[in-house]
Amino acid sequence: MQLQSSAKDQLRAFVSRIERLEEEKAALATDLREVYAEAKGNGFDVKALRAVIRMRKQDQNKRREEEAVLTTYLHALGMAEAEAA
């Protein structure tokens, strides 16, 4: 299969853009790891931070619904008694 010159140029441009974006993504991932490590070094719980970030991304109504279901399950399992007291 042979590509025309314009298609080859277009393909090269796409590949170049993808490679550049992959490099940026890797750099951002490194930056995120460093921020989480800094937070951990300052005594913050990284797992909790990740949960907070995940929750902030959610729609408020969806988050409330999930929290209500979780609370219901915890009560049903007898795990939420300390909150009720």
Side-chain angles (χ1 to χ4, degrees):
M1 178 173 153
Q2 293 287 328
L3 294 177
Q4 294 179 357
S5 178
S6 62
K8 287 180 184 179
D9 292 342
Q10 200 174 28
L11 178 61
R12 283 188 189 103
F14 282 130
V15 169
S16 179
R17 286 171 53 197
I18 291 168
E19 289 173 339
R20 181 176 38 79
L21 290 169
E22 288 289 344
E23 289 173 6
E24 290 176 18
K25 184 170 75 170
L28 287 173
T30 299
D31 291 348
L32 280 170
R33 279 193 302 274
E34 290 173 1
V35 171
Y36 279 114
E38 183 179 347
K40 183 177 181 177
N42 283 307
F44 292 98
D45 184 299
V46 172
K47 190 173 181 179
L49 276 174
R50 291 184 188 279
V52 168
I53 299 299
R54 185 176 58 252
M55 290 172 69
R56 286 175 52 110
K57 288 180 184 179
Q58 287 181 328
D59 174 68
Q60 189 174 14
N61 291 328
K62 181 176 172 60
R63 186 177 73 235
R64 284 185 183 148
E65 181 181 319
E66 288 181 9
E67 288 172 352
V69 171
L70 178 60
T71 300
T72 300
Y73 287 2
L74 291 174
H75 280 288
L77 297 170
M79 298 173 66
E81 292 177 288
E83 291 178 20

Short mmCIF file of all heavy atoms in Angstrom, two decimals, residues 32-83:
data_model
loop_
_atom_site.label_atom_id
_atom_site.label_comp_id
_atom_site.label_asym_id
_atom_site.label_seq_id
_atom_site.Cartn_x
_atom_site.Cartn_y
_atom_site.Cartn_z
N LEU A 32 2.76 15.29 39.02
CA LEU A 32 1.73 14.85 39.96
C LEU A 32 2.32 13.97 41.06
O LEU A 32 1.99 14.13 42.24
CB LEU A 32 0.63 14.08 39.23
CG LEU A 32 -0.42 14.93 38.52
CD1 LEU A 32 -1.29 14.06 37.63
CD2 LEU A 32 -1.26 15.66 39.53
N ARG A 33 3.20 13.04 40.67
CA ARG A 33 3.85 12.19 41.67
C ARG A 33 4.62 13.04 42.67
O ARG A 33 4.61 12.77 43.88
CB ARG A 33 4.78 11.17 41.00
CG ARG A 33 4.07 9.96 40.44
CD ARG A 33 5.03 8.85 40.06
NE ARG A 33 6.03 9.24 39.08
CZ ARG A 33 5.85 9.22 37.76
NH1 ARG A 33 4.71 8.83 37.25
NH2 ARG A 33 6.82 9.59 36.94
N GLU A 34 5.30 14.06 42.18
CA GLU A 34 6.08 14.93 43.06
C GLU A 34 5.18 15.70 44.03
O GLU A 34 5.51 15.84 45.21
CB GLU A 34 6.93 15.90 42.24
CG GLU A 34 8.08 15.22 41.51
CD GLU A 34 8.83 16.16 40.57
OE1 GLU A 34 8.47 17.36 40.49
OE2 GLU A 34 9.77 15.69 39.91
N VAL A 35 4.03 16.16 43.56
CA VAL A 35 3.11 16.90 44.43
C VAL A 35 2.55 15.97 45.50
O VAL A 35 2.48 16.33 46.68
CB VAL A 35 1.97 17.56 43.61
CG1 VAL A 35 0.90 18.13 44.54
CG2 VAL A 35 2.53 18.65 42.71
N TYR A 36 2.15 14.75 45.10
CA TYR A 36 1.65 13.79 46.08
C TYR A 36 2.75 13.44 47.09
O TYR A 36 2.48 13.31 48.29
CB TYR A 36 1.12 12.53 45.41
CG TYR A 36 -0.28 12.68 44.87
CD1 TYR A 36 -0.53 12.63 43.50
CD2 TYR A 36 -1.37 12.86 45.72
CE1 TYR A 36 -1.82 12.77 43.00
CE2 TYR A 36 -2.65 12.99 45.23
CZ TYR A 36 -2.88 12.95 43.88
OH TYR A 36 -4.16 13.09 43.39
N ALA A 37 3.98 13.29 46.63
CA ALA A 37 5.09 12.99 47.54
C ALA A 37 5.33 14.15 48.51
O ALA A 37 5.59 13.94 49.70
CB ALA A 37 6.37 12.70 46.75
N GLU A 38 5.22 15.36 48.01
CA GLU A 38 5.38 16.54 48.87
C GLU A 38 4.27 16.59 49.92
O GLU A 38 4.52 16.86 51.10
CB GLU A 38 5.35 17.81 48.02
CG GLU A 38 5.58 19.08 48.80
CD GLU A 38 5.56 20.32 47.91
OE1 GLU A 38 5.62 20.20 46.67
OE2 GLU A 38 5.47 21.42 48.49
N ALA A 39 3.04 16.31 49.49
CA ALA A 39 1.91 16.30 50.44
C ALA A 39 2.14 15.23 51.50
O ALA A 39 1.91 15.47 52.69
CB ALA A 39 0.60 16.06 49.69
N LYS A 40 2.61 14.05 51.07
CA LYS A 40 2.88 12.96 52.02
C LYS A 40 3.97 13.37 52.99
O LYS A 40 3.88 13.10 54.20
CB LYS A 40 3.28 11.70 51.26
CG LYS A 40 3.50 10.51 52.15
CD LYS A 40 3.81 9.26 51.35
CE LYS A 40 4.00 8.06 52.26
NZ LYS A 40 4.25 6.84 51.49
N GLY A 41 4.98 14.04 52.48
CA GLY A 41 6.07 14.51 53.33
C GLY A 41 5.63 15.52 54.36
O GLY A 41 6.25 15.69 55.40
N ASN A 42 4.53 16.21 54.07
CA ASN A 42 3.97 17.18 55.01
C ASN A 42 2.90 16.56 55.90
O ASN A 42 2.16 17.27 56.59
CB ASN A 42 3.40 18.38 54.26
CG ASN A 42 4.48 19.31 53.78
OD1 ASN A 42 5.33 19.75 54.56
ND2 ASN A 42 4.49 19.60 52.49
N GLY A 43 2.79 15.23 55.87
CA GLY A 43 1.91 14.54 56.79
C GLY A 43 0.50 14.25 56.28
O GLY A 43 -0.34 13.78 57.03
N PHE A 44 0.23 14.56 55.01
CA PHE A 44 -1.10 14.30 54.47
C PHE A 44 -1.19 12.87 53.95
O PHE A 44 -0.21 12.31 53.46
CB PHE A 44 -1.43 15.29 53.34
CG PHE A 44 -1.61 16.69 53.84
CD1 PHE A 44 -0.57 17.60 53.76
CD2 PHE A 44 -2.81 17.10 54.40
CE1 PHE A 44 -0.72 18.90 54.22
CE2 PHE A 44 -2.98 18.40 54.87
CZ PHE A 44 -1.92 19.29 54.78
N ASP A 45 -2.38 12.29 54.05
CA ASP A 45 -2.64 10.94 53.59
C ASP A 45 -2.93 10.99 52.09
O ASP A 45 -3.94 11.56 51.66
CB ASP A 45 -3.84 10.35 54.34
CG ASP A 45 -4.10 8.91 53.99
OD1 ASP A 45 -4.39 8.63 52.81
OD2 ASP A 45 -4.03 8.07 54.89
N VAL A 46 -2.05 10.39 51.29
CA VAL A 46 -2.16 10.45 49.83
C VAL A 46 -3.42 9.73 49.34
O VAL A 46 -4.10 10.21 48.42
CB VAL A 46 -0.89 9.88 49.17
CG1 VAL A 46 -1.07 9.74 47.67
CG2 VAL A 46 0.31 10.77 49.49
N LYS A 47 -3.75 8.63 49.97
CA LYS A 47 -4.95 7.89 49.55
C LYS A 47 -6.19 8.76 49.74
O LYS A 47 -7.07 8.81 48.87
CB LYS A 47 -5.07 6.60 50.36
CG LYS A 47 -6.10 5.64 49.87
CD LYS A 47 -6.01 4.33 50.64
CE LYS A 47 -7.03 3.34 50.14
NZ LYS A 47 -6.93 2.05 50.85
N ALA A 48 -6.25 9.48 50.86
CA ALA A 48 -7.38 10.37 51.11
C ALA A 48 -7.38 11.53 50.12
O ALA A 48 -8.44 11.94 49.63
CB ALA A 48 -7.33 10.89 52.54
N LEU A 49 -6.21 12.06 49.81
CA LEU A 49 -6.11 13.14 48.83
C LEU A 49 -6.65 12.69 47.47
O LEU A 49 -7.39 13.42 46.81
CB LEU A 49 -4.66 13.60 48.66
CG LEU A 49 -4.14 14.62 49.65
CD1 LEU A 49 -2.65 14.86 49.42
CD2 LEU A 49 -4.90 15.91 49.54
N ARG A 50 -6.27 11.49 47.06
CA ARG A 50 -6.76 10.96 45.78
C ARG A 50 -8.28 10.82 45.79
O ARG A 50 -8.95 11.12 44.80
CB ARG A 50 -6.10 9.63 45.45
CG ARG A 50 -4.62 9.76 45.12
CD ARG A 50 -4.02 8.41 44.70
NE ARG A 50 -2.59 8.48 44.57
CZ ARG A 50 -1.94 8.96 43.51
NH1 ARG A 50 -2.61 9.40 42.49
NH2 ARG A 50 -0.62 8.98 43.48
N ALA A 51 -8.83 10.40 46.94
CA ALA A 51 -10.28 10.27 47.05
C ALA A 51 -10.95 11.65 46.95
O ALA A 51 -11.97 11.80 46.29
CB ALA A 51 -10.65 9.59 48.37
N VAL A 52 -10.36 12.65 47.59
CA VAL A 52 -10.90 14.01 47.53
C VAL A 52 -10.89 14.52 46.09
O VAL A 52 -11.88 15.08 45.60
CB VAL A 52 -10.12 14.96 48.46
CG1 VAL A 52 -10.47 16.42 48.19
CG2 VAL A 52 -10.37 14.61 49.91
N ILE A 53 -9.79 14.31 45.40
CA ILE A 53 -9.67 14.75 44.01
C ILE A 53 -10.72 14.06 43.16
O ILE A 53 -11.40 14.69 42.34
CB ILE A 53 -8.25 14.48 43.45
CG1 ILE A 53 -7.18 15.24 44.25
CG2 ILE A 53 -8.17 14.80 41.97
CD1 ILE A 53 -7.33 16.74 44.23
N ARG A 54 -10.88 12.76 43.34
CA ARG A 54 -11.87 12.00 42.58
C ARG A 54 -13.28 12.52 42.85
O ARG A 54 -14.08 12.71 41.93
CB ARG A 54 -11.76 10.52 42.93
CG ARG A 54 -12.66 9.60 42.12
CD ARG A 54 -12.46 8.13 42.44
NE ARG A 54 -12.69 7.82 43.86
CZ ARG A 54 -11.74 7.52 44.75
NH1 ARG A 54 -10.47 7.45 44.37
NH2 ARG A 54 -12.03 7.27 46.00
N MET A 55 -13.57 12.82 44.12
CA MET A 55 -14.89 13.31 44.50
C MET A 55 -15.16 14.70 43.92
O MET A 55 -16.28 15.00 43.50
CB MET A 55 -15.04 13.33 46.02
CG MET A 55 -15.11 11.95 46.64
SD MET A 55 -15.05 11.99 48.44
CE MET A 55 -16.62 12.74 48.81
N ARG A 56 -14.15 15.55 43.90
CA ARG A 56 -14.33 16.91 43.39
C ARG A 56 -14.60 16.92 41.89
O ARG A 56 -15.20 17.86 41.38
CB ARG A 56 -13.11 17.78 43.72
CG ARG A 56 -13.07 18.16 45.19
CD ARG A 56 -11.80 18.91 45.55
NE ARG A 56 -11.53 20.04 44.69
CZ ARG A 56 -11.61 21.32 45.07
NH1 ARG A 56 -11.99 21.61 46.29
NH2 ARG A 56 -11.29 22.28 44.24
N LYS A 57 -14.18 15.88 41.20
CA LYS A 57 -14.43 15.77 39.76
C LYS A 57 -15.88 15.39 39.47
O LYS A 57 -16.37 15.65 38.39
CB LYS A 57 -13.51 14.73 39.13
CG LYS A 57 -12.07 15.14 39.02
CD LYS A 57 -11.28 14.02 38.37
CE LYS A 57 -9.81 14.34 38.32
NZ LYS A 57 -9.05 13.23 37.71
N GLN A 58 -16.52 14.75 40.43
CA GLN A 58 -17.88 14.25 40.23
C GLN A 58 -18.91 15.37 40.29
O GLN A 58 -18.71 16.38 40.95
CB GLN A 58 -18.24 13.23 41.31
CG GLN A 58 -17.58 11.91 41.20
CD GLN A 58 -18.03 10.98 42.31
OE1 GLN A 58 -18.32 11.41 43.41
NE2 GLN A 58 -18.07 9.69 42.01
N ASP A 59 -20.03 15.12 39.64
CA ASP A 59 -21.18 15.98 39.76
C ASP A 59 -21.66 15.92 41.21
O ASP A 59 -21.66 14.84 41.82
CB ASP A 59 -22.28 15.48 38.81
CG ASP A 59 -23.58 16.23 38.98
OD1 ASP A 59 -23.61 17.43 38.64
OD2 ASP A 59 -24.55 15.60 39.47
N GLN A 60 -22.07 17.06 41.76
CA GLN A 60 -22.45 17.12 43.17
C GLN A 60 -23.61 16.18 43.49
O GLN A 60 -23.60 15.50 44.52
CB GLN A 60 -22.81 18.55 43.55
CG GLN A 60 -23.00 18.76 45.04
CD GLN A 60 -23.22 20.21 45.39
OE1 GLN A 60 -23.50 21.04 44.52
NE2 GLN A 60 -23.11 20.54 46.65
N ASN A 61 -24.60 16.11 42.63
CA ASN A 61 -25.74 15.22 42.88
C ASN A 61 -25.33 13.76 42.85
O ASN A 61 -25.77 12.96 43.67
CB ASN A 61 -26.87 15.48 41.87
CG ASN A 61 -27.52 16.83 42.09
OD1 ASN A 61 -27.60 17.32 43.21
ND2 ASN A 61 -27.96 17.44 41.00
N LYS A 62 -24.47 13.41 41.91
CA LYS A 62 -23.99 12.03 41.81
C LYS A 62 -23.19 11.67 43.05
O LYS A 62 -23.33 10.58 43.60
CB LYS A 62 -23.15 11.85 40.55
CG LYS A 62 -22.64 10.44 40.35
CD LYS A 62 -21.91 10.32 39.03
CE LYS A 62 -21.21 9.02 38.84
NZ LYS A 62 -22.03 7.86 38.88
N ARG A 63 -22.37 12.61 43.52
CA ARG A 63 -21.57 12.36 44.72
C ARG A 63 -22.47 12.15 45.94
O ARG A 63 -22.26 11.23 46.73
CB ARG A 63 -20.60 13.51 44.96
CG ARG A 63 -19.63 13.22 46.11
CD ARG A 63 -18.61 14.31 46.31
NE ARG A 63 -19.24 15.47 46.90
CZ ARG A 63 -19.21 16.70 46.40
NH1 ARG A 63 -18.57 16.92 45.27
NH2 ARG A 63 -19.79 17.71 47.01
N ARG A 64 -23.48 12.99 46.08
CA ARG A 64 -24.40 12.84 47.21
C ARG A 64 -25.13 11.50 47.16
O ARG A 64 -25.31 10.85 48.19
CB ARG A 64 -25.42 13.98 47.21
CG ARG A 64 -24.86 15.28 47.70
CD ARG A 64 -25.94 16.32 47.80
NE ARG A 64 -25.36 17.59 48.21
CZ ARG A 64 -25.82 18.76 47.82
NH1 ARG A 64 -26.87 18.85 47.03
NH2 ARG A 64 -25.24 19.87 48.24
N GLU A 65 -25.52 11.10 45.96
CA GLU A 65 -26.20 9.81 45.80
C GLU A 65 -25.28 8.66 46.22
O GLU A 65 -25.69 7.76 46.96
CB GLU A 65 -26.62 9.64 44.34
CG GLU A 65 -27.36 8.36 44.06
CD GLU A 65 -27.73 8.24 42.59
OE1 GLU A 65 -28.13 9.25 41.98
OE2 GLU A 65 -27.60 7.13 42.05
N GLU A 66 -24.03 8.69 45.78
CA GLU A 66 -23.07 7.64 46.14
C GLU A 66 -22.81 7.64 47.64
O GLU A 66 -22.69 6.57 48.25
CB GLU A 66 -21.77 7.81 45.36
CG GLU A 66 -21.89 7.46 43.90
CD GLU A 66 -20.59 7.60 43.14
OE1 GLU A 66 -19.53 7.83 43.78
OE2 GLU A 66 -20.63 7.49 41.90
N GLU A 67 -22.70 8.83 48.24
CA GLU A 67 -22.48 8.91 49.68
C GLU A 67 -23.68 8.35 50.45
O GLU A 67 -23.50 7.68 51.47
CB GLU A 67 -22.21 10.36 50.09
CG GLU A 67 -20.85 10.87 49.64
CD GLU A 67 -20.65 12.35 49.89
OE1 GLU A 67 -21.62 13.06 50.28
OE2 GLU A 67 -19.52 12.83 49.69
N ALA A 68 -24.88 8.62 49.97
CA ALA A 68 -26.08 8.10 50.63
C ALA A 68 -26.13 6.58 50.57
O ALA A 68 -26.46 5.92 51.56
CB ALA A 68 -27.33 8.70 49.99
N VAL A 69 -25.77 6.02 49.42
CA VAL A 69 -25.75 4.56 49.28
C VAL A 69 -24.70 3.97 50.21
O VAL A 69 -24.95 2.99 50.91
CB VAL A 69 -25.51 4.15 47.82
CG1 VAL A 69 -25.26 2.66 47.70
CG2 VAL A 69 -26.68 4.57 46.94
N LEU A 70 -23.52 4.58 50.24
CA LEU A 70 -22.45 4.11 51.11
C LEU A 70 -22.88 4.15 52.57
O LEU A 70 -22.67 3.19 53.32
CB LEU A 70 -21.18 4.93 50.90
CG LEU A 70 -19.99 4.57 51.77
CD1 LEU A 70 -19.56 3.12 51.54
CD2 LEU A 70 -18.83 5.52 51.52
N THR A 71 -23.49 5.24 52.99
CA THR A 71 -23.97 5.37 54.37
C THR A 71 -25.00 4.29 54.69
O THR A 71 -24.96 3.67 55.76
CB THR A 71 -24.57 6.77 54.60
OG1 THR A 71 -23.56 7.74 54.36
CG2 THR A 71 -25.10 6.93 56.01
N THR A 72 -25.90 4.05 53.75
CA THR A 72 -26.91 2.99 53.94
C THR A 72 -26.24 1.64 54.14
O THR A 72 -26.60 0.88 55.04
CB THR A 72 -27.86 2.94 52.72
OG1 THR A 72 -28.50 4.21 52.59
CG2 THR A 72 -28.90 1.85 52.87
N TYR A 73 -25.25 1.34 53.31
CA TYR A 73 -24.54 0.06 53.43
C TYR A 73 -23.80 -0.04 54.75
O TYR A 73 -23.80 -1.08 55.40
CB TYR A 73 -23.56 -0.12 52.27
CG TYR A 73 -24.21 -0.43 50.93
CD1 TYR A 73 -25.58 -0.48 50.75
CD2 TYR A 73 -23.41 -0.65 49.82
CE1 TYR A 73 -26.15 -0.75 49.53
CE2 TYR A 73 -23.98 -0.93 48.58
CZ TYR A 73 -25.34 -0.97 48.44
OH TYR A 73 -25.89 -1.25 47.22
N LEU A 74 -23.14 1.05 55.16
CA LEU A 74 -22.40 1.03 56.42
C LEU A 74 -23.34 0.80 57.60
O LEU A 74 -23.02 0.04 58.51
CB LEU A 74 -21.63 2.34 56.61
CG LEU A 74 -20.45 2.55 55.65
CD1 LEU A 74 -19.85 3.95 55.84
CD2 LEU A 74 -19.39 1.48 55.83
N HIS A 75 -24.48 1.45 57.58
CA HIS A 75 -25.47 1.24 58.64
C HIS A 75 -25.96 -0.21 58.64
O HIS A 75 -26.08 -0.83 59.69
CB HIS A 75 -26.66 2.19 58.50
CG HIS A 75 -26.39 3.56 59.02
ND1 HIS A 75 -26.30 3.85 60.36
CD2 HIS A 75 -26.18 4.73 58.37
CE1 HIS A 75 -26.05 5.14 60.52
NE2 HIS A 75 -25.97 5.70 59.33
N ALA A 76 -26.24 -0.73 57.45
CA ALA A 76 -26.73 -2.11 57.34
C ALA A 76 -25.73 -3.11 57.86
O ALA A 76 -26.10 -4.15 58.40
CB ALA A 76 -27.07 -2.41 55.88
N LEU A 77 -24.44 -2.80 57.74
CA LEU A 77 -23.39 -3.70 58.20
C LEU A 77 -22.95 -3.40 59.64
O LEU A 77 -22.05 -4.06 60.17
CB LEU A 77 -22.18 -3.62 57.27
CG LEU A 77 -22.43 -4.08 55.84
CD1 LEU A 77 -21.26 -3.73 54.94
CD2 LEU A 77 -22.71 -5.57 55.81
N GLY A 78 -23.60 -2.42 60.27
CA GLY A 78 -23.24 -2.07 61.64
C GLY A 78 -21.91 -1.36 61.76
O GLY A 78 -21.31 -1.35 62.82
N MET A 79 -21.48 -0.73 60.69
CA MET A 79 -20.18 -0.06 60.68
C MET A 79 -20.29 1.44 60.91
O MET A 79 -19.28 2.10 61.04
CB MET A 79 -19.46 -0.33 59.35
CG MET A 79 -19.17 -1.80 59.10
SD MET A 79 -18.51 -2.11 57.45
CE MET A 79 -16.93 -1.28 57.55
N ALA A 80 -21.48 1.99 60.95
CA ALA A 80 -21.67 3.42 61.08
C ALA A 80 -22.23 3.81 62.44
O ALA A 80 -22.69 4.92 62.63
CB ALA A 80 -22.58 3.93 59.97
N GLU A 81 -22.18 2.92 63.40
CA GLU A 81 -22.74 3.19 64.72
C GLU A 81 -22.01 4.32 65.43
O GLU A 81 -22.64 5.08 66.15
CB GLU A 81 -22.70 1.92 65.58
CG GLU A 81 -23.64 0.84 65.07
CD GLU A 81 -23.53 -0.42 65.88
OE1 GLU A 81 -22.51 -1.11 65.75
OE2 GLU A 81 -24.47 -0.68 66.64
N ALA A 82 -20.72 4.45 65.22
CA ALA A 82 -19.96 5.51 65.89
C ALA A 82 -20.44 6.89 65.44
O ALA A 82 -20.46 7.83 66.22
CB ALA A 82 -18.47 5.36 65.58
N GLU A 83 -20.87 7.00 64.18
CA GLU A 83 -21.37 8.28 63.68
C GLU A 83 -22.70 8.62 64.32
O GLU A 83 -22.99 9.79 64.60
CB GLU A 83 -21.55 8.22 62.15
CG GLU A 83 -20.27 8.13 61.39
CD GLU A 83 -20.51 8.02 59.89
OE1 GLU A 83 -21.62 8.41 59.44
OE2 GLU A 83 -19.62 7.59 59.18
#
